[in-house]
Amino acid sequence: MIPFAKAHACGNDFLIVTEDAAAGRDWAKMARHLCDRHTGIGADGVEFFARTGPRSGRIRLHNADGSIAEISGNGTRCVAAWMAECVGANPGDELLIETDAGLRVCRINAVNTDGGFSVEVTTGMGLPAAAPKTVTLGDGPSVSGVAVSTGNPHFVILVDSADFSMGGAPWQSVGAEICVHPEFPSQTNVEFVRILTKSEIEIRIFERGVGPTSSSGTGTSASAAAAIAFHGCNSPLTVFAPGGPQTVEWAGPGNELFLTGPASLIARGEAWYE
């Protein structure tokens, strides 16, 4: 049996399994099994956690397909919610979480225990790097966007259509093709951005190793960085995804980006696993 906790951030859901519980097992295989929404528990990924101090820990993320990801902003925030509940954190407390993309400091802004456990968290997301890039799709057209690193790779595309389609093609199919494009040898996350106002954007997300998702913390951060750096948007910027809004504060290149959003615990339990 594998003990787990489950949490979500704007509908982006993750399982939290301690490294001790997963010791000696194939983590990629375990992630595929546990994340299956029909034969497993169901999640976008598994965060394997090792405690390094009273309010600090290290995480390793496997996507639902078993692949390794450097970081998930929402996954990190889910772990912060779980840690906050475990240690009885209060507003103003900070939790330190080491990821494969570096240390992330998560500040607890609010705690809500009415009918469950949820927190609002501001996470330092590091220094994003963004540059214009064009890729050519298999059927010929070129797509211009912004390649952004937020500790993991993103390709951000500005769109005008209300349904986020491009040239009549659904954003999901365009995202699937760009995700595995040869220009991105390690694959990439893909975001489609519609500017609503100078202080609000709306996005759709095709996540590497997962597919279309309701939310993404690093995707939200990357989309905001591209919108602020190249499309005249302002900080703070509210980013709307299907799973709900998050807020990004970024003073521009050379400065750390800060992401604020909610995370809620869903369940604790044990899963059958060989």
Side-chain angles (χ1 to χ4, degrees):
M1 300 290 284
I2 300 294
F4 71 90
K6 183 173 180 177
H8 82 92
C10 298
N12 201 191
D13 55 344
F14 294 86
L15 303 175
I16 302 158
V17 175
T18 67
E19 289 190 7
D20 287 345
R25 293 178 165 94
D26 183 328
W27 290 7
K29 182 180 177 182
M30 182 185 294
R32 288 192 295 271
H33 174 79
L34 296 180
C35 290
D36 191 288
R37 297 192 182 277
H38 299 286
T39 61
I41 302 162
D44 290 324
V46 179
E47 297 279 9
F48 292 97
F49 176 87
R51 190 173 299 280
T52 58
R55 297 188 177 219
S56 62
R58 181 183 72 246
I59 53 176
R60 298 288 183 265
L61 172 60
H62 281 257
N63 292 318
D65 68 353
S67 62
I68 297 172
E70 300 89 346
I71 185 175
S72 163
N74 283 350
T76 301
R77 199 161 72 242
C78 284
V79 172
W82 174 74
M83 291 174 66
E85 199 273 338
C86 289
V87 303
N90 295 305
D93 289 348
E94 292 186 343
L95 303 171
L96 307 182
I97 302 176
E98 186 71 36
T99 77
D100 284 346
L103 179 67
R104 297 294 182 259
V105 178
C106 298
R107 186 183 72 240
I108 306 299
N109 300 326
V111 178
N112 187 341
T113 58
D114 293 338
F117 186 89
S118 62
V119 293
E120 182 189 84
V121 180
T122 295
T123 305
M125 297 295 290
L127 279 65
K133 186 178 181 66
T134 299
V135 298
T136 301
L137 303 184
D139 56 359
S142 295
V143 177
S144 296
V146 180
V148 184
S149 172
T150 56
N152 60 351
H154 296 264
F155 187 65
V156 181
I157 305 165
L158 187 67
V159 299
D160 294 323
S161 55
D163 63 358
F164 295 86
S165 62
M166 296 186 63
W171 66 267
Q172 296 92 333
S173 62
V174 177
E177 182 173 354
I178 293 176
C179 176
V180 297
H181 195 280
E183 287 284 334
F184 304 103
S186 298
Q187 301 188 8
T188 189
N189 303 286
V190 187
E191 284 79 38
F192 301 82
V193 175
R194 208 162 62 94
I195 296 176
L196 305 178
T197 69
K198 293 289 187 181
S199 59
E200 297 179 329
I201 63 174
E202 186 179 6
I203 66 173
R204 295 294 182 268
I205 306 144
F206 191 96
E207 188 169 342
R208 177 184 60 167
V210 180
T213 57
S214 64
S215 182
S216 166
T218 58
T220 293
S221 301
S223 298
I228 292 169
F230 294 97
H231 300 301
C233 288
N234 301 322
S235 173
L237 185 64
T238 300
V239 182
F240 294 95
Q246 300 184 64
T247 302
V248 171
E249 296 177 81
W250 187 48
N255 294 281
E256 184 165 18
L257 183 149
F258 294 91
L259 174 70
T260 298
S264 301
L265 299 184
I266 298 171
R268 280 196 180 91
E270 291 182 322
W272 292 105
Y273 189 74
E274 62 186 24

